Structures are given as structure tokens and as C-alpha cells.
Amino acid sequence: MSLKVIIVGGGIGGTAAALALTRAGCDVRIFEQAQIKSEVGAGIQISPNATRLLQRYGLGEALKPLAVRPQAIEARRWDNGAILMREELGAAVETAYGAPYYHFHRGDLLSVLSDALPRGVLQTAQCCVSVTETDDGVRAQFEDGSFVDGDLLVGADGIHSTVRRVLFGDERPRFSANVAYRGLAPAERLNHLGLPHNATIWMGPGGHFVHYFVSGGRYVNFVAVHEQANWERESWTDRGTVDDARRRYAGWHPQIHAILGAVDETFKWALFDRAPLEKWSAGRITLLGDACHPMLPYMAQGAAQAIEDGATLAACLAGVSRSDVAAALQRYEILRKPRTASIQGAARGNAITFHLPDGPEQRERDTAMGASTGLSPSRAALFGFDAEALDRPPSGAS
Ligand SMILES: Cc1cc2nc3c(=O)[nH]c(=O)nc-3n(C[C@H](O)[C@H](O)[C@H](O)COP(=O)(O)OP(=O)(O)OC[C@H]3O[C@@H](n4cnc5c(N)ncnc54)[C@H](O)[C@@H]3O)c2cc1C
């Protein structure tokens, strides 16, 4: 009989996991608190370690027309635009790793994932308030008093995870002292800049600015990060003004101001992460994605790692009987922990590297970055990784 899997949270991680688990023969249901499935109006980069999995789930053709396939990642200096590093993506990455590097509007990606779910898998407006292990399974309880039973439960409920809190206690995420403005500019307003189809990252003192095309090239997505000691608001998002964003980047390259000038609205995010968790699972309950390894976005890997989690989890559960569920979850955790912890650490490291003030350390960084051109060998462990292949020793990202 198929294992009955309850997934709490229908974001990119939960939805991709549902596809992987369905493919592995499980009977899956996702319970999402929101009334309608949605994602923030912003872009996302999805690297080959994740697109490889999405292609295996049969989503390649649906994703292609919505994706932008960047030619390269370029790092530039904040004031004069000098190119500090160029790393090939596009065809070079596809040849090397057998899968594309894509840029998406988040809403497009989530729609493709959820449209591919079998009918009835996704239940919306179901806010999970508690999870418990029963004598022979698990139970999730919802705000409206209803409950559902299954053989195992996966908390894919994001950085403020309820499932994680129930399993491991209430520990607040860490504010990184980094805040991001995010937004989308209609591409036709920026035609005069002749922007290449790259992921461009401008690095400067106390901040960085990333931009790339999304929605098949119709919009330019930007993420503008700066350091800020406090975040005093209750909410972790806020409607920031475009003028505030422009003031923050006073003195930065005119291209950054042209992009900000083409934006109608921006919103502001406080960036949080957590230290790697010691344990992800308890009995028949486990976690995936931001619920267990939220990371700063400076490796562009949070969603990719959530997608990898789902693939490994499904591979560990394939063909497993009800009595072996807890052991399969242990195996999943052992396989995933070192890699995600190392990427969490690397993302933290980039918060320092990307924001160095001009001086000796910045010059050292620029020299080191300038040495790497073409297809970066350091990416092999990240992009070449196959999360469905279980017969390997647990390893980090590099
Ligand atoms: C500025 C920024 C840029 C980023 N850029 C990239 C990038 O380029 N590439 C990349 O790979 N990653 C990127 N990330 C990271 C990425 O967005 C996240 O890692 C990813 O979205 C996590 O997915 P998730 O499904 O684990 O969690 P979430 O997306 O947070 O989804 C959790 C879901 O659970 C639901 N939920 C929560 N609580 C409950 C409950 N109690 N009951 C039911 N449902 C519940 C929520 O409504 C939500 O739908 C970026 C992040 C930021 C902030």
C-alpha cells in the first residue's frame, strides 16, 4: 500500500517535494495556509542542480517559455562598473552539467509546479497549528479544528515553521543586519541600457545590487541589499519607497539608478537565517527547505536546496514499508545535512565578501575573483550534484 504523506506548506519546496514523492509512489497531500497559491512578485534563479530534477519531473517544456536563460554571471564594481568577474552560464553550463541555469518570475515557477500536481493534492486555506505522532502514524491539526492522519509528515512551512517549533522548540530566526529592496521594472523602459541577459551583481561598501531578466524577458528583477543594524517592525516585509532605495545607493553606478528609476513600486525585506539544525526529524516527522535550513540569498540556493531535499526524501522513501519510515527519514537527514549546512555557511560568508569597503581586503577579493573566468570549476560540486543519487557519501557543497 502507498505511504500516505502529509506536507505542510505549498511553497516551492513543498510543491516540488509533492511531485517527487508522487513519482516515488506515495499518496501525497499538501496543506497550505494561504487561500490561493501565490509567491512574492519577484525573481528567482534556479541552478542546474535543481532544474535537472524539475526536468525529470516532466516540467522541462512547461518551464522553457517562462524562463530566461542567462549567458553569464558578472560581478561589477559599485561605482565605475568595472567587471570583477565573469562566469559562463548558458550553453557552457548545460554542456557541463546537463541541465540549464534559469531565471524565473517566482509566480511562474510556482504555477508550473502546482499545475503539475495530480488533482486534489493541494488543499489551500489549511493552517496547520500542531503535529503529533500517533501509535501508528502522524496527525496534523488545523486552525479550523479539522485534522488529517498519515504515515509521515513533512514540514515545508518556511522560515517561521510551525512544524519545526513543535518538534524542536521556539527559537527565533537570526536577523542578519541585511535588508533587501526587491522589485520588477518593465524591460521596455530599460531598452536604452542594452542590458545583456546575465545575472549581474554590483558589489560595494556595505551592500550589493543584483539584477536579471525574468518572465521570458519582459521584466528586469532587482534585489538591492544594504546593511541596517535593526529591523524594528513586527512584519519581516514592508513597502519601501523607490526614493528611499535610490537614496541608499547614492554614488553607485548610473545603471543602478536607471533600473531603480524604471520601477513603479518596491518592497523591503529583512533578511533572516538560522544556524544549521542538529536534527531535522523526530520519528515519522521531518522538515525540508527553509523550515530546516533557511539561508541568506547570497548563494541563490534556498529554493534549489528545497527542491533537492524533496528529491532525496522521495528517493529514500521509494519502496519503503510503513514500519521503516523513521529509518528512511534518518537516512534523508544524514544525506542532506552536510550539504545544506555548508551552503548556509557559504551564503553567510558572501554577506561579508560582497560588502567589503574599498581597501586592501576588497582589492584582494577583486584579484581572487578576476582569476576565475569561463566556467567556474568551483561550481561543479554545486551544479553537478544529483540529489536523487543516494549511493554516495554525505558531502558538502564543495
Ligand atoms: C531576496 C531573496 C532572494 C532569493 N533568491 C533566491 C534564488 O535566486 N534562488 C534560490 O534558489 N533561492 C532564493 N531565495 C531563497 C528562496 O526564496 C527560499 O529558500 C525558498 O522560497 C524556500 O521555499 P520553501 O518552500 O522552503 O518555503 P516558503 O517559500 O517560505 O514556503 C512555505 C509555505 O508554507 C506555508 N505555511 C507556513 N506556515 C504554514 C502553516 N502553519 N500551515 C500551512 N502552511 C503554512 C506558507 O504560506 C508558504 O506557502 C531567495 C530568498 C530571498 C529572501
Side-chain angles (χ1 to χ4, degrees), residues 68-149:
V68 171
R69 193 167 154 265
Q71 293 310 300
I73 299 176
E74 265 184 4
R76 302 184 66 174
R77 203 180 136 73
W78 66 286
D79 52 358
N80 61 14
I83 294 179
L84 305 174
M85 178 277 285
R86 180 182 163 95
E87 196 183 314
E88 295 303 321
L89 296 175
V93 150
E94 277 179 53
T95 306
Y97 305 118
Y101 195 104
Y102 277 157
H103 289 159
F104 291 107
H105 187 290
R106 284 169 176 262
D108 289 343
L109 174 60
L110 188 61
S111 292
V112 169
L113 292 170
S114 43
D115 290 351
L117 292 170
R119 187 181 270 275
V121 167
L122 179 64
Q123 318 268 307
T124 53
Q126 293 279 357
C127 180
C128 176
V129 289
S130 183
V131 296
T132 39
E133 249 194 284
T134 57
D135 287 344
D136 58 350
V138 286
R139 171 167 290 188
Q141 281 173 306
F142 300 98
E143 210 170 38
D144 62 5
S146 62
F147 62 87
V148 63
D149 293 330

Side-chain angles (χ1 to χ4, degrees), residues 9 13 32-33 45 106 126 128 156-157 162 182 290 300-304:
E32 162 60 43
Q33 69 180 359
Q45 314 195 51
R106 284 169 176 262
Q126 293 279 357
C128 176
D157 49 347
T162 297
R182 302 165 86 180
D290 278 10
Q301 278 294 313

Side-chain angles (χ1 to χ4, degrees), residues 11 25 293 313 379 386 395:
H293 48 67
L313 179 63
R379 298 282 186 181
D386 186 343
S395 66

Side-chain angles (χ1 to χ4, degrees), residues 127-207:
C127 180
C128 176
V129 289
S130 183
V131 296
T132 39
E133 249 194 284
T134 57
D135 287 344
D136 58 350
V138 286
R139 171 167 290 188
Q141 281 173 306
F142 300 98
E143 210 170 38
D144 62 5
S146 62
F147 62 87
V148 63
D149 293 330
D151 295 319
L152 69 133
L153 185 142
V154 183
D157 49 347
I159 189 166
H160 301 289
S161 170
T162 297
V163 178
R164 174 183 176 132
R165 182 171 44 75
V166 172
L167 292 190
F168 303 119
D170 199 1
E171 178 222 333
R172 290 172 71 83
R174 307 186 283 205
F175 175 52
S176 63
N178 282 203
V179 168
Y181 288 96
R182 302 165 86 180
L184 297 167
E188 77 261 10
R189 296 185 191 166
L190 295 167
N191 281 345
H192 61 287
L193 296 177
L195 294 175
H197 276 211
N198 288 341
T200 306
I201 169 164
W202 302 75
M203 297 183 186

